Amino acid sequence: MKDNRKREKALGTLERGDSGWREATRIVHGGPKPSEQSGVINPPIYRASTIIYDTVDAYIDRHKGLYGDVIYGLYGTRSTYALAEAIAELEQGSATVITSSGTSAIALTLSAFVEAGDHLLVADCIYGPTRKFLSEILSKFGVDIEYFKADIAGGVAELCRPETKLIYMETPGSQTFDIIDIPAISAVARARGILTAVDNTWATPLYFKPLLHGVDLSIASATKYLSGHSDCLLGAITASDEAVFRRIKDVAARWGNCASPDDCYLVQRGLRTLDTRLERHQRTAFALVDWLVEQPEVQAILYPAHPNDPGHAIWKRDFTGASGLFGVQLDGLNENETRAFFDHMWTFQLGSSWGGFESLAVPAWPAPVRAFSNKERDGALIRIHAGLEAVDDLIDDLDAAFDRVRTLRRSN
Ligand SMILES: *Cc1c(COP(=O)(O)O)cnc(C)c1O
């Protein structure tokens, strides 16, 4: 069997997706065949606006190629499609549309399936700018937007109406890290013909595959872990079936949303090491959590991989791993203590995007961006992204930050 594969590979007849490889291997070896691009391993960067045609007939028919051929730079080149195929395979979806950013992927998804008079159900724990898109843009087009609590599970059935078109979720939620029972909600939605979409940025398709749990659309901010190097912006929307994919692709074309081929290349390059990086992000996050729970000021860890987290059982059931982003609730840091904690850190950086190689720590206040209050989770917190540094350097930095707060407290 193995010898056969080797022979097929030598002959160039081995279908890459069909190799029987495990996911970690497919990430490393997947994608376009090097033999079709002069032996180059990663897909080259194709930059284009104009695409030229051989005949009038081909030119007139070009729009038939919108869903996979290179027909105009705006709609994608080989660079875009190579990345789209890699992400579709990871998500185990039908096909993927690459967009200019995670935010644009969300805006496109939210606007593609609703019109005036429709009802949209949205999990309360979503990313802040998603909420702003809903309140500042979509609500102005006559769409009725209703939020539900992240722990609603099958109870979402009571909120569904004949005019409900889409249920939009994010798990775990931004800042509060609430885990949503995706299979329960997608079952309710499917029975009623309602589409479901999940922002899957935190877990990445490596650790959670929403489409295998009945979801129709999985969204990733590729800016985060998929790229992994804090130097580009990109989004991805993966659809469970061809019709949903085509609708997204049409809407992206109409909005003129376009992914930079250079950034597609960078994300494709980042994907090669995604499995390795995530393993390390997770291991470091676990080590930091172990250290943090020993500190008397720490009241709670918001991290579904932690056994005390209320989302832990569902996370364990549905996810295959945890990424490196989590929240820490302290016993009420005041303003001065917050400054003392963050301003003098030397390994952790203060910055709000995450998923790159570097560790980040920022203060966050989720309560103002929630429709429902949840005293357990929406108080002031520290959001930590565990990067790829040596874990003891990170602990030294945290240790000094806690010491600064303790010194301040003793002096008051
Ligand atoms: C960062 C982020 C986004 C937005 O991604 P951009 O590429 O920065 O536009 C969307 N969803 C979540 C959960 C995020 O963390």
Side-chain angles (χ1 to χ4, degrees):
M1 168 84 169
K2 275 192 190 123
D3 283 348
N4 261 348
R5 277 193 214 144
K6 205 166 175 183
R7 211 177 119 253
E8 281 178 54
K9 189 170 183 214
L11 295 171
T13 54
L14 181 72
E15 278 303 322
R16 295 201 135 210
D18 209 34
S19 55
W21 279 326
R22 286 153 191 87
E23 191 160 56
T25 311
R26 284 206 305 274
I27 288 177
V28 172
H29 285 295
K33 289 196 182 101
S35 59
E36 288 167 9
Q37 44 192 39
S38 310
V40 172
I41 292 175
N42 275 335
I45 300 172
Y46 291 90
R47 304 188 58 87
S49 53
T50 298
I51 304 298
I52 53 173
Y53 298 85
D54 284 342
T55 64
V56 169
D57 286 344
Y59 177 71
I60 290 172
D61 279 349
R62 68 192 185 284
H63 288 294
K64 291 183 188 154
L66 175 67
Y67 307 108
D69 293 338
V70 180
I71 59 165
Y72 180 47
L74 178 71
Y75 309 140
T77 65
R78 289 276 152 247
S79 304
T80 329
Y81 292 133
L83 177 63
E85 280 166 27
I87 294 178
E89 189 180 325
L90 273 178
E91 295 269 15
Q92 295 192 28
S94 165
T96 298
V97 177
I98 307 294
T99 66
S100 57
S101 66
T103 304
S104 68
I106 292 165
L108 274 170
T109 303
L110 286 168
S111 57
F113 303 98
V114 290
E115 55 187 51
D118 283 345
H119 179 232
L120 178 62
L121 281 168
V122 182
D124 196 29
C125 59
I126 54 166
Y127 178 61
T130 305
R131 199 173 202 97
K132 285 190 180 158
F133 175 78
L134 292 168
S135 64
E136 293 171 15
I137 313 276
L138 205 61
S139 61
K140 305 261 188 317
F141 289 87
V143 177
D144 184 5
I145 297 151
E146 184 176 357
Y147 287 96
F148 60 85
K149 284 166 76 175
D151 63 359
I152 196 167
V156 77
E158 285 155 42
L159 303 181
C160 293
R161 307 179 197 158
E163 62 276 17
T164 308
K165 292 290 159 61
L166 178 71
I167 303 179
Y168 181 87
M169 299 167 277
E170 182 181 323
T171 185
S174 279
Q175 300 193 359
T176 42
F177 299 92
D178 325 64
I179 284 281
I180 296 176
D181 190 337
I182 299 288
I185 293 178
S186 61
V188 167
R190 285 208 163 229
R192 290 164 177 74
I194 300 168
L195 289 173
T196 47
V198 170
D199 181 335
N200 192 33
T201 301
W202 180 87
T204 86
L206 208 55
Y207 286 169
F208 182 50
K209 298 194 192 308
L211 305 184
L212 298 188
H213 297 274
V215 169
D216 298 291
L217 294 133
S218 178
I219 298 167
S221 165
T223 308
K224 308 288 168 57
Y225 286 117
L226 304 190
S227 124
H229 293 76
S230 312
D231 53 3
C232 71
L233 288 146
L234 224 51
I237 308 163
T238 304
S240 59
D241 71 39
E242 180 70 14
V244 171
F245 160 71
R246 287 189 174 217
R247 175 66 187 159
I248 290 285
K249 184 80 187 180
D250 288 340
V251 174
R254 298 291 79 83
W255 283 111
N257 192 291
C258 174
S260 142
D262 300 77
D263 288 350
C264 289
Y265 177 84
L266 287 173
V267 172
Q268 182 100 33
R269 193 178 201 264
L271 278 185
R272 300 294 191 195
T273 55
L274 179 66
D275 186 55
T276 316
R277 285 186 285 111
L278 276 180
E279 229 176 82
R280 174 66 175 257
H281 285 296
Q282 172 172 263
R283 189 156 23 106
T284 298
F286 281 23
L288 295 181
V289 165
D290 283 347
W291 184 87
L292 282 160
V293 294
E294 299 295 323
Q295 310 310 308
E297 295 85 357
V298 170
Q299 288 183 325
I301 301 289
L302 310 184
Y303 190 44
H306 191 252
N308 292 347
D309 191 282
H312 185 68
I314 291 178
W315 171 80
K316 219 170 153 182
R317 183 191 70 189
D318 297 344
F319 290 60
T320 53
S323 67
L325 191 77
F326 61 94
V328 186
Q329 282 185 331
L330 301 189
D331 54 356
L333 289 189
N334 66 27
E335 268 182 49
N336 277 342
E337 289 162 357
T338 303
R339 284 195 200 95
F341 190 94
F342 290 100
D343 282 353
H344 306 281
M345 295 186 109
W346 67 89
T347 309
F348 283 93
Q349 313 284 327
L350 256 168
S352 65
S353 202
W354 46 269
F357 48 83
E358 75 290 2
S359 287
L360 302 169
V362 288
W365 297 271
V369 291
R370 294 289 181 257
F372 301 95
S373 99
N374 177 355
K375 288 200 175 53
E376 308 268 286
R377 296 185 90 80
D378 63 14
L381 59 96
I382 292 171
R383 193 185 68 181
I384 288 183
H385 177 246
L388 304 177
E389 301 91 340
V391 68
D392 287 340
D393 284 328
L394 297 172
I395 288 175
D396 286 348
D397 202 11
L398 284 175
D399 199 23
F402 275 92
D403 266 351
R404 288 191 295 275
V405 170
R406 285 169 198 150
T407 305
L408 255 184
R409 287 185 172 178
R410 274 197 301 271
S411 69
N412 285 336

